[in-house]
Amino acid sequence: MLPDPIKKFIEVFSKLPSIGPRMATRLAFYLLSIDKNNLGELESAFSGLKRVNRCPRCFFMKSGGRLCSICTDPKRDKNIITIVEKEADLLSIEKAGNFMGHYLILGELVEHGTLTSNQKLRFQHLRERISQELGGKAKEIILALSPTAFGDFTADLIRKEFQGLSEKITRLGRGIPTGGEIEFADEETLKQALERRN
Amino acid sequence: MLPDPIKKFIEVFSKLPSIGPRMATRLAFYLLSIDKNNLGELESAFSGLKRVNRCPRCFFMKSGGRLCSICTDPKRDKNIITIVEKEADLLSIEKAGNFMGHYLILGELVEHGTLTSNQKLRFQHLRERISQELGGKAKEIILALSPTAFGDFTADLIRKEFQGLSEKITRLGRGIPTGGEIEFADEETLKQALERRN
């Protein structure tokens, strides 16, 4: 009973993460209620994404130019490299505002804690980066992987991969979050906070 | 630091109902992670909406054809007309599956309980429909407006507008929802359920 273009819209948008059929339906009717010019704006926002691709050096997103805006920033220190799982992690760290080094985006960790062939390729790139740009040794590699069983396992793996290629390999601090209350911290967090007291 | 097309996408999509900046960001990265062909599918789902417009008879959505699929369905009874506020209400009633009449979509009720000029125009259309197609009198007009203060007020308004143009003017039944427990029904619902016992 719904016209085909609306059905199609709901079908396609229902598949997106956190958008179910209910929300897709509401979205469709909302879009139909607004000015067709605004619809054009949304459409071009969509097609704009096609101009985005990956930086071949750190694998963050870029559009235009050979490298991304982080890799080409002369104020950043090439000798310190933070390895993150995904773009959103990089954005969070950038928002914190006190890191001025470079990055490597690893790509989402898969189950079983093994590395995908894509991730192995990115490590290969990083090894080349270290050998070509830093004379074979980085000052520090920071493993900014979430403190989960998964992240811990992968961090150990990376340590082994880059042993000898960096003066230090560190992980992000671990403990009670700022503003968090000891009373409500879970056991594992408290245990780690005690072990890593400083 | 994010490439412009991503920034633009987040800016534009954040404005949509129930999609905040956080969700728009997640959506952008998801879309960047999928195949560019799928991106094209989403894009054309969007532009497909441009082919949708309103049925000039009941004001539901249609694409192609002069009237919508409900107005042109020969199995439906033209003599019974349900007035609903919005498309989603019509869809819910159609899902219930036991109504085989026609509709009029009124358009979202505005505050102060007054009718917009657009809504007055739609009533004018309905009056013409009744006079041209039904010889001046419908068998039944069902007011399927939500049982809120707003809906009640508008229902009274419509009753006056269509007095003499329909044999009956009814409203949807009102009371304890099926599966609902009396213990947990609010006072107003219970009061109405008692008054309308049958």
Side-chain angles (χ1 to χ4, degrees), chain B residues 83-86 89 106-115 123 142-159 170-172 174 196:
Chain B
I83 299 182
V84 295
E85 183 182 349
K86 50 191 192 293
D89 300 338
L106 191 54
E108 218 140 327
L109 300 181
V110 290
E111 277 185 71
H112 318 305
T114 49
L115 296 174
F123 280 146
I142 302 170
L143 306 177
L145 301 169
S146 297
T148 59
F150 244 37
D152 289 352
F153 187 88
T154 311
D156 285 343
L157 224 69
I158 303 178
R159 268 183 205 282
T170 58
R171 282 194 77 181
L172 292 185
R174 201 154 162 169
R196 285 149 211 258

Side-chain angles (χ1 to χ4, degrees), chain B residues 129-145:
Chain B
R129 229 167 104 174
I130 293 172
S131 104
Q132 286 164 18
E133 298 177 13
L134 310 176
K137 204 153 200 163
K139 213 189 285 170
E140 184 173 359
I141 292 177
I142 302 170
L143 306 177
L145 301 169

